[in-house]
Amino acid sequence: MKITFYGHACLLVEHDGKRVLIDPFLSGNPASVIQPGEIKADAIVLTHGHSDHFGDTVEIAKRNDCPVIAVFELAGICQAKGTKSHGMSIGGAFDFEGFRVKLTPAWHSSSVRDGDHIIYAGGAAGVVLTMGGKNLYHAGDTALFSDLKLICEFHDIDAAALPIGDNFTMGPEEAVLAAEWVRPKVVIPIHYNTFPVIRQDPFAFQTAVEAKGIACRPLAPGQSLDV
Ligand code: NI
Ligand code: MN
């Protein structure tokens, strides 16, 4: 499984020619190094509807003629905007061609802004994405909560993308404990330094995670990791 970080919470996950894109916030992302028009994807998975995750989903899904996989309400919003969609609920998993998606709980909110209106988008989720026998856990924007311990009851997590930015998500101290509970082979910090309010030092976080005996690889936007 090859994981490429595109800044903020966006990951492209590839195996054997399949390309699954998570939370494609690219054109409005000051940390992005790629434009949505350059992305090839077989599916888009969304953790929730906030604009720094929903991002360029509709444009990319339409151009690639690929489905948006998300919580039922959010998948419905995408469908109403003209994309293919596959609705799921938290706790459910589904085998797609070449990959499997399980939506996990996340303590956060979810909505889509449409002009002056806020559209209800269901609950916020995390994702366990399985490809080529490897499991990536993308935590979404969650707070720390003790049920994160359940994830490794059912999946050996090869890589965990954990938010460290604080303010909107867990902060770095909580993310270290999340790493101990999820027990991944490697942690990839996400959701930091995109905006001044979520400024963090990923290398201080790396030191703190590695002190617990867990590998940690901060990735620069555009950088990839094979797991
Ligand atoms: Ni959010
Ligand atoms: Mn966010």
Side-chain angles (χ1 to χ4, degrees):
M1 172 189 276
K2 180 183 176 188
I3 301 166
T4 303
F5 179 57
Y6 281 132
H8 200 57
C10 181
L11 299 179
L12 177 68
V13 188
E14 300 171 79
H15 175 76
D16 205 15
K18 278 281 171 193
R19 299 163 65 90
V20 178
L21 185 65
I22 305 176
D23 287 358
F25 169 54
L26 301 173
S27 62
N29 178 356
S32 176
V33 293
I34 191 165
Q35 287 304 309
E38 300 171 70
I39 294 273
K40 288 196 179 70
D42 296 294
I44 296 171
V45 180
L46 294 179
T47 60
H48 64 295
H50 291 157
S51 59
D52 59 319
H53 300 258
F54 191 83
D56 305 289
T57 291
V58 173
E59 177 191 336
I60 296 169
K62 283 184 180 172
R63 190 172 41 76
N64 286 274
D65 194 29
C66 75
V68 181
I69 301 163
V71 162
F72 179 78
E73 288 83 357
L74 182 54
I77 290 168
C78 293
Q79 194 164 6
K81 291 180 182 293
T83 77
K84 293 181 174 172
S85 75
H86 182 106
M88 301 178 65
S89 287
I90 288 164
F94 189 78
D95 284 308
F96 297 87
E97 204 181 301
F99 62 97
R100 182 175 197 261
V101 171
K102 181 171 188 175
L103 295 185
T104 65
W107 268 100
H108 193 61
S109 59
S110 180
S111 60
V112 173
R113 180 176 281 278
D114 200 1
D116 288 343
H117 299 280
I118 297 284
I119 309 172
Y120 171 69
V127 178
V128 177
L129 172 64
T130 306
M131 289 178 97
K134 297 287 174 80
N135 296 308
L136 165 73
Y137 171 56
H138 186 303
D141 273 4
T142 192
L144 183 70
F145 63 113
S146 58
D147 280 358
L148 290 170
K149 294 172 186 173
L150 291 174
I151 288 171
C152 64
E153 293 284 332
F154 297 94
H155 308 276
D156 290 328
I157 299 298
D158 295 284
L162 301 177
I164 66 165
D166 223 333
N167 195 79
F168 301 111
T169 67
M170 66 174 97
E173 289 177 2
E174 287 103 353
V176 171
L177 192 53
E180 291 188 85
W181 286 347
V182 175
R183 298 208 303 258
K185 292 196 179 70
V186 62
V187 174
I188 301 166
I190 60 171
H191 215 280
Y192 66 95
N193 289 359
T194 320
F195 314 108
V197 74
I198 55 172
R199 189 158 299 287
Q200 298 293 344
D201 179 352
F203 300 106
F205 173 71
Q206 178 181 30
T207 301
V209 172
E210 293 189 338
K212 304 294 182 184
I214 301 166
C216 180
R217 280 287 307 276
L219 299 176
Q223 210 175 4
S224 298
L225 178 66
D226 281 296
V227 298

